[in-house]
Amino acid sequence: IAPELANRPNPMTLLRDFDYGTVKREKGRTVREFDLIADNSVLQLNSAVKFLSWNVNDRVPGPTLRATEGDRVRIIFRNRAGRPHSLHFHGTHPAEMDGVTPIRSGRETVYEFDAEPYGVHLYHCHIAPVTRHIGKGLFGLFIVDPPQGRSPADEMVLVMGGYDINDDKQNELYAFNGFPDYYQTHPIPIYQNQLVRLYLLNMIEFDPAVTFHIHANLFQVYPTGRTLTPKEETDVITMGTAERHILEFSYPYPGRYMFHPHQDAIAERGCMGEFEVISI
Amino acid sequence: IAPELANRPNPMTLLRDFDYGTVKREKGRTVREFDLIADNSVLQLNSAVKFLSWNVNDRVPGPTLRATEGDRVRIIFRNRAGRPHSLHFHGTHPAEMDGVTPIRSGRETVYEFDAEPYGVHLYHCHIAPVTRHIGKGLFGLFIVDPPQGRSPADEMVLVMGGYDINDDKQNELYAFNGFPDYYQTHPIPIYQNQLVRLYLLNMIEFDPAVTFHIHANLFQVYPTGRTLTPKEETDVITMGTAERHILEFSYPYPGRYMFHPHQDAIAERGCMGEFEVISI
Amino acid sequence: IAPELANRPNPMTLLRDFDYGTVKREKGRTVREFDLIADNSVLQLNSAVKFLSWNVNDRVPGPTLRATEGDRVRIIFRNRAGRPHSLHFHGTHPAEMDGVTPIRSGRETVYEFDAEPYGVHLYHCHIAPVTRHIGKGLFGLFIVDPPQGRSPADEMVLVMGGYDINDDKQNELYAFNGFPDYYQTHPIPIYQNQLVRLYLLNMIEFDPAVTFHIHANLFQVYPTGRTLTPKEETDVITMGTAERHILEFSYPYPGRYMFHPHQDAIAERGCMGEFEVISI
Ligand SMILES: [Cu+2]
Ligand SMILES: [Cu+2]
Ligand SMILES: [Cu+2]
Ligand SMILES: [Cu+2]
Ligand SMILES: [Cu+2]
Ligand SMILES: [Cu+2]
Ligand code: NA
Ligand code: NA
Ligand code: NA
Ligand code: NA
Ligand code: NA
Ligand code: NA
Ligand SMILES: [Zn+2]
Ligand SMILES: [Zn+2]
Ligand SMILES: [Zn+2]
Ligand SMILES: [Zn+2]
Ligand SMILES: [Zn+2]
Ligand SMILES: [Zn+2]
Ligand SMILES: [Zn+2]
Ligand SMILES: [Zn+2]
Ligand SMILES: [Zn+2]
């Protein structure tokens, strides 16, 4: 195994890997500290294509950060990548924590703010050209749970990304959670009649919008995760870049079911996966 | 008239043509049998352009199948097209009825499932490259009515499709219900103050999203037909591939009114129609 | 200052400039008369690029017309542009007021209709090719207020537009309210904790859809302005051409915050601005 692959996180692990940070109590409140390091690493996208990614903590997408509304969030950001980067968070925070200032390589900075409001947010590098810094892989989800929590469910994360292999500002490959077609060759096991809560982010640059579709079922939509009750039910949702939602569904019948953007050209270039519904 | 045109369904007929299948009673429940045949036929798209379509029952879009929630649906699918095809249905059904397995030419298969949930669904071939099998015309609407029905209305179907004439993965022509500009030269007659219920599907591949706009009026939106009350009112709705909705409206004044995607380049290449509102 | 720039409206003025027309009483009701003149003028888009715009009243976007639901609206439209144009309004009106008939240069016409229903509408030239007549700048907002009004707020208008400089049916530059990057170099002053009501229109042709994002905050969405209560809260909204909404938000912390489409290639070619939140 080449060095660049040795520490490659398994996409099946990424799927349900939530980073709650190091928890501290300060002045009576919960503080969550996250250590995030920007660096570069080579991704083996398929048997033929290697891709030099710019990323956080050696993974694409970066860690799924998670806090509860009202927590204090402290991001210790170290840049070891050899070029300037930053971390811009979605959600509410003061201007000085907005992450649009370049952090030079070798430097570090601390982004600190209250986790608010609850919902599905994201972070990404905001250095120009942003299409390139996002396209290279410097992004992740930032989930803020409502104080009362959500109902029990099999929770998972899918981030749709695109790879511009030849720097022509078009994507040649696509992926859920970084690796093209991974969940097609390794279907995601879920249980029959078990509620699945999917945190879905579209982080594809260059394509103006994509859809997300699951087979043989419909899902409930919680737009931007900003509601406790669903606002729509469908099986095809259209999402611009940086749109993200909670989708909930359960499969009534066992078997294998595809999920993919319904722009089939995108699906057929790597943004394709399957659920394996296990009967109970 | 050339053979390929003789049995061409009239788009004005397609508009309000709902196929309820052959109704049977089995074990105390309603079963609807549909005979669908995949084959090829030449469409005369305009005076200059012929297009070899792949389709169901010699029409593009295929028949608008219709059932009531809870009915049993039985699709007898025969492939006579000379290449593998399948019928993948949206809606809820078991994995073995999902229609992703190729049916070789000369063979037939039966897809059977419960019609659920109520809403506006679709079917299409799911053989790779799906962009090509959809782009060639192998799709149609599948409407599942709520048990209690919907209010009386002038119901009609519009499917937006694109034609990649030169196989360059871009569409040169577009159409509502298969024939470019048909409803512009043959406006759809509707009555003043009569409720129109439009079942609208975007089946355009290659373009990431399109809008649909009606002139001089607004419409109520029932997303994916999954609600009994409208969720939004507007006159421009953005739809990714395979998105479909119920739109309801009535025209208060007589006269002619255009409808078209507000991406005017698409409208001006065939996706353009008119309503002729008849005073009462 | 070149003649073409002398009467260029200041984008900071455009932002909060609402044209309520000349108010008359006729037969016991309010009539609002608007004088709109189509002509051509050169826009200096940046230090290197001049653009011959086709527009209304020598500005891009045209004036933001504003009425209350139930008012009578009378548009006196004069075409002095040297080519045919028209004004097509969104909203409800009779066919003969739909503005799809070309008005030859040197002629005038009157569009007259009831302002209904309340919401955020638009007007634009509807002469083919519409992509070109819109892309050249012949459009504006038409706001119809609900009879009871809306709550007090700092109200402003942002219209996203694209410029196809080289007539290749792609946009090379983009802008909020006509001038690329204007609000980045001249941030929009707003006050901390003050409710901002933004009337947002996507008038970009050629790109299938764009998003709109504000930094460090979320906004409430009133789709097409057709509701009195918000329907969604997010910080990224996807909009097809001619989509428009009311967005409401207030900034809890002072400082500078970017707003832009999250399709970063579009943002980085002129569709970029900033709010300057002033502490109180
Ligand atoms: Cu970056
Ligand atoms: Cu499907
Ligand atoms: Cu097929
Ligand atoms: Cu219109
Ligand atoms: Cu025009
Ligand atoms: Cu942001
Ligand atoms: Na915060
Ligand atoms: Na590329
Ligand atoms: Na079913
Ligand atoms: Na083509
Ligand atoms: Na009116
Ligand atoms: Na251009
Ligand atoms: Zn970076
Ligand atoms: Zn962002
Ligand atoms: Zn599929
Ligand atoms: Zn096929
Ligand atoms: Zn489908
Ligand atoms: Zn039109
Ligand atoms: Zn014009
Ligand atoms: Zn329009
Ligand atoms: Zn930004």
Side-chain angles (χ1 to χ4, degrees):
Chain A
I1 291 177
E4 69 266 22
L5 300 181
N7 53 2
R8 182 181 94 171
N10 185 315
M12 202 55 80
T13 305
L14 290 189
L15 189 70
R16 296 180 174 101
D17 182 24
F18 300 98
D19 183 348
Y20 291 90
T22 302
V23 180
K24 305 185 174 181
R25 294 291 294 179
E26 294 182 11
K27 299 176 192 163
R29 68 188 300 196
T30 299
V31 178
R32 296 183 187 274
E33 273 193 14
F34 298 92
D35 289 288
L36 299 184
I37 298 174
D39 209 335
N40 313 303
S41 53
V42 174
L43 304 178
Q44 186 83 35
L45 296 183
N46 58 38
S47 59
V49 177
K50 288 181 196 246
F51 181 79
L52 179 65
S53 74
W54 306 348
N55 61 46
V56 172
N57 290 11
D58 202 28
R59 38 174 284 181
V60 177
T64 298
L65 310 183
R66 195 156 178 179
T68 298
E69 191 178 68
D71 290 348
R72 189 75 173 168
V73 169
R74 185 175 298 143
I75 310 286
I76 299 156
F77 177 57
R78 295 183 177 84
N79 183 1
R80 298 181 182 161
R83 63 174 59 74
H85 288 302
S86 75
L87 290 186
H88 164 70
F89 280 75
H90 287 227
T92 304
H93 50 251
E96 52 270 31
M97 296 300 161
D98 197 37
V100 295
T101 306
I103 307 302
R104 288 161 49 200
S105 188
R107 299 295 177 88
E108 72 174 65
T109 195
V110 176
Y111 303 112
E112 184 170 328
F113 47 79
D114 296 338
E116 61 180 7
Y118 78 78
V120 188
H121 305 304
L122 63 147
Y123 62 89
H124 58 84
C125 180
H126 206 293
I127 305 307
V130 174
T131 44
R132 183 160 173 81
H133 285 248
I134 287 180
K136 293 294 269 181
L138 229 149
F139 54 78
L141 271 167
F142 170 46
I143 298 172
V144 178
D145 290 311
Q148 65 273 52
R150 300 187 190 266
S151 60
D154 180 6
E155 299 201 325
M156 63 183 68
V157 161
L158 289 175
V159 181
M160 298 187 278
Y163 291 110
D164 175 7
I165 304 299
N166 57 2
D167 289 332
D168 69 348
K169 299 182 193 298
Q170 292 184 302
N171 297 310
E172 284 73 43
L173 286 172
Y174 298 86
F176 288 109
N177 291 348
F179 292 91
D181 291 326
Y182 187 89
Y183 300 116
Q184 186 176 35
T185 50
H186 304 73
I188 297 173
I190 60 176
Y191 289 96
Q192 187 180 6
N193 293 323
Q194 163 75 55
L195 181 66
V196 174
R197 179 170 300 122
L198 173 57
Y199 297 91
L200 177 69
L201 167 64
N202 171 22
M203 207 70 262
I204 299 175
E205 288 279 3
F206 306 121
D207 295 284
V210 298
T211 53
F212 177 80
H213 167 57
I214 65 172
H215 271 226
N217 209 344
L218 287 84
F219 47 73
Q220 306 281 335
V221 183
Y222 299 73
T224 316
R226 283 293 301 129
T227 62
L228 300 176
T229 52
K231 292 298 168 187
E232 189 178 339
E233 190 189 19
T234 188
D235 65 7
V236 176
I237 187 167
T238 303
M239 302 169 76
T241 305
E243 264 198 82
R244 64 285 181 192
H245 303 294
I246 292 174
L247 309 184
E248 289 186 356
F249 53 87
S250 66
Y251 271 88
Y253 307 109
R256 282 205 185 182
Y257 301 93
M258 294 178 180
F259 59 87
H260 57 86
H262 217 292
Q263 284 96 356
D264 298 292
I266 292 176
E268 290 168 3
R269 286 187 280 169
C271 213
M272 172 65 82
E274 291 187 12
F275 294 114
E276 170 80 47
V277 179
I278 300 162
S279 66
I280 51 170
Chain B
I1 292 176
E4 69 266 22
L5 300 182
N7 53 4
R8 181 182 95 171
N10 186 316
M12 202 55 79
T13 305
L14 289 189
L15 188 72
R16 296 181 175 99
D17 183 25
F18 299 99
D19 183 348
Y20 291 90
T22 303
V23 180
K24 304 184 172 181
R25 293 292 293 178
E26 293 181 12
K27 298 175 192 165
R29 68 188 300 199
T30 299
V31 179
R32 296 182 186 275
E33 273 192 16
F34 298 93
D35 288 289
L36 299 185
I37 298 174
D39 209 336
N40 313 303
S41 52
V42 174
L43 304 178
Q44 186 83 35
L45 296 182
N46 59 38
S47 58
V49 177
K50 286 180 198 248
F51 182 79
L52 179 65
S53 74
W54 306 348
N55 61 47
V56 173
N57 290 10
D58 202 29
R59 41 174 282 181
V60 177
T64 298
L65 311 183
R66 195 156 178 178
T68 297
E69 191 178 68
D71 290 348
R72 190 76 173 166
V73 169
R74 186 175 296 142
I75 310 287
I76 299 155
F77 176 57
R78 296 183 176 84
N79 183 1
R80 299 179 181 163
R83 63 175 57 76
H85 288 303
S86 74
L87 290 186
H88 165 69
F89 280 75
H90 287 227
T92 304
H93 50 251
E96 53 270 29
M97 296 301 162
D98 197 38
V100 295
T101 306
I103 307 303
R104 288 162 48 200
S105 189
R107 299 295 178 86
E108 72 174 66
T109 195
V110 176
Y111 303 113
E112 185 170 328
F113 47 79
D114 296 338
E116 61 181 7
Y118 78 79
V120 188
H121 306 303
L122 63 148
Y123 62 90
H124 58 85
C125 180
H126 206 293
I127 305 307
V130 174
T131 42
R132 183 160 174 80
H133 285 249
I134 287 179
K136 293 294 269 181
L138 231 148
F139 54 79
L141 271 167
F142 169 47
I143 298 171
V144 179
D145 290 311
Q148 64 274 48
R150 298 186 192 267
S151 61
D154 180 6
E155 298 201 326
M156 63 183 68
V157 161
L158 289 175
V159 181
M160 298 187 278
Y163 291 109
D164 175 7
I165 304 299
N166 57 1
D167 289 331
D168 68 348
K169 300 184 193 299
Q170 291 185 301
N171 298 309
E172 284 75 42
L173 287 172
Y174 299 86
F176 288 109
N177 291 348
F179 292 91
D181 290 326
Y182 187 87
Y183 301 116
Q184 186 176 35
T185 50
H186 304 72
I188 298 172
I190 59 176
Y191 288 96
Q192 187 180 8
N193 293 323
Q194 163 75 55
L195 181 66
V196 174
R197 179 171 297 122
L198 173 57
Y199 297 92
L200 177 68
L201 167 64
N202 172 22
M203 206 71 261
I204 299 175
E205 288 278 4
F206 305 121
D207 295 284
V210 297
T211 53
F212 177 80
H213 167 57
I214 65 173
H215 271 226
N217 210 345
L218 287 84
F219 46 73
Q220 304 282 334
V221 184
Y222 299 74
T224 316
R226 283 294 300 133
T227 61
L228 301 176
T229 52
K231 292 299 168 186
E232 189 177 340
E233 190 189 20
T234 187
D235 65 7
V236 176
I237 187 167
T238 303
M239 303 169 75
T241 304
E243 262 197 83
R244 63 285 181 192
H245 303 294
I246 292 174
L247 309 184
E248 289 185 356
F249 53 88
S250 68
Y251 272 87
Y253 307 108
R256 283 205 182 180
Y257 301 93
M258 294 179 178
F259 59 86
H260 58 85
H262 218 294
Q263 285 96 355
D264 298 292
I266 292 176
E268 289 168 4
R269 284 186 282 169
C271 213
M272 172 65 81
E274 291 187 11
F275 294 114
E276 170 80 46
V277 179
I278 301 163
S279 66
I280 51 172
Chain C
I1 292 176
E4 69 265 22
L5 301 182
N7 53 2
R8 182 181 94 172
N10 186 315
M12 201 56 78
T13 306
L14 289 188
L15 188 72
R16 297 181 173 101
D17 182 25
F18 300 99
D19 183 349
Y20 291 90
T22 302
V23 180
K24 305 183 174 182
R25 295 292 291 179
E26 294 182 11
K27 297 176 192 163
R29 68 187 299 197
T30 299
V31 179
R32 295 182 187 275
E33 273 193 16
F34 298 92
D35 288 288
L36 299 185
I37 299 174
D39 209 335
N40 313 303
S41 52
V42 174
L43 303 178
Q44 186 83 34
L45 295 183
N46 58 38
S47 59
V49 177
K50 287 180 197 247
F51 182 80
L52 179 66
S53 75
W54 306 348
N55 61 45
V56 173
N57 290 11
D58 201 28
R59 40 175 282 180
V60 177
T64 298
L65 311 183
R66 195 156 179 179
T68 298
E69 190 178 69
D71 290 349
R72 190 75 174 168
V73 169
R74 186 175 297 143
I75 309 287
I76 299 156
F77 177 57
R78 294 183 177 84
N79 183 1
R80 299 179 181 162
R83 62 175 58 76
H85 288 302
S86 74
L87 289 186
H88 164 70
F89 279 76
H90 287 227
T92 304
H93 50 252
E96 52 270 31
M97 296 300 161
D98 198 37
V100 295
T101 306
I103 307 303
R104 289 161 48 200
S105 188
R107 299 295 178 88
E108 71 173 66
T109 196
V110 175
Y111 303 112
E112 183 171 330
F113 47 79
D114 296 338
E116 60 180 7
Y118 78 78
V120 187
H121 306 303
L122 62 148
Y123 62 89
H124 57 84
C125 180
H126 206 292
I127 306 306
V130 175
T131 43
R132 183 160 174 79
H133 286 249
I134 287 179
K136 293 293 269 180
L138 230 148
F139 54 78
L141 271 167
F142 169 46
I143 298 171
V144 178
D145 290 312
Q148 65 273 50
R150 299 187 190 266
S151 61
D154 179 7
E155 300 201 326
M156 62 183 69
V157 160
L158 289 175
V159 181
M160 298 187 277
Y163 291 109
D164 175 8
I165 304 299
N166 57 1
D167 289 330
D168 68 348
K169 299 182 193 299
Q170 292 184 302
N171 298 309
E172 284 74 42
L173 286 172
Y174 298 86
F176 288 108
N177 291 349
F179 291 90
D181 290 325
Y182 187 87
Y183 301 116
Q184 187 176 34
T185 49
H186 305 71
I188 297 172
I190 59 177
Y191 289 95
Q192 188 180 7
N193 293 322
Q194 163 76 54
L195 181 65
V196 174
R197 179 170 298 122
L198 174 57
Y199 296 92
L200 177 68
L201 167 64
N202 172 23
M203 206 70 262
I204 299 175
E205 289 278 4
F206 305 121
D207 295 285
V210 297
T211 52
F212 177 80
H213 168 58
I214 65 173
H215 271 227
N217 209 346
L218 287 84
F219 46 73
Q220 305 282 335
V221 184
Y222 300 73
T224 315
R226 283 294 300 131
T227 62
L228 300 177
T229 53
K231 292 298 167 187
E232 189 177 339
E233 190 189 19
T234 187
D235 65 7
V236 175
I237 188 167
T238 302
M239 303 169 75
T241 305
E243 264 198 82
R244 64 284 179 191
H245 303 294
I246 292 173
L247 308 184
E248 289 185 355
F249 53 87
S250 66
Y251 272 87
Y253 307 108
R256 282 206 184 180
Y257 301 94
M258 293 180 179
F259 58 86
H260 57 86
H262 218 292
Q263 284 95 358
D264 298 292
I266 292 176
E268 289 167 4
R269 284 187 281 169
C271 213
M272 171 65 80
E274 291 187 13
F275 294 112
E276 171 80 47
V277 179
I278 300 162
S279 65
I280 52 173

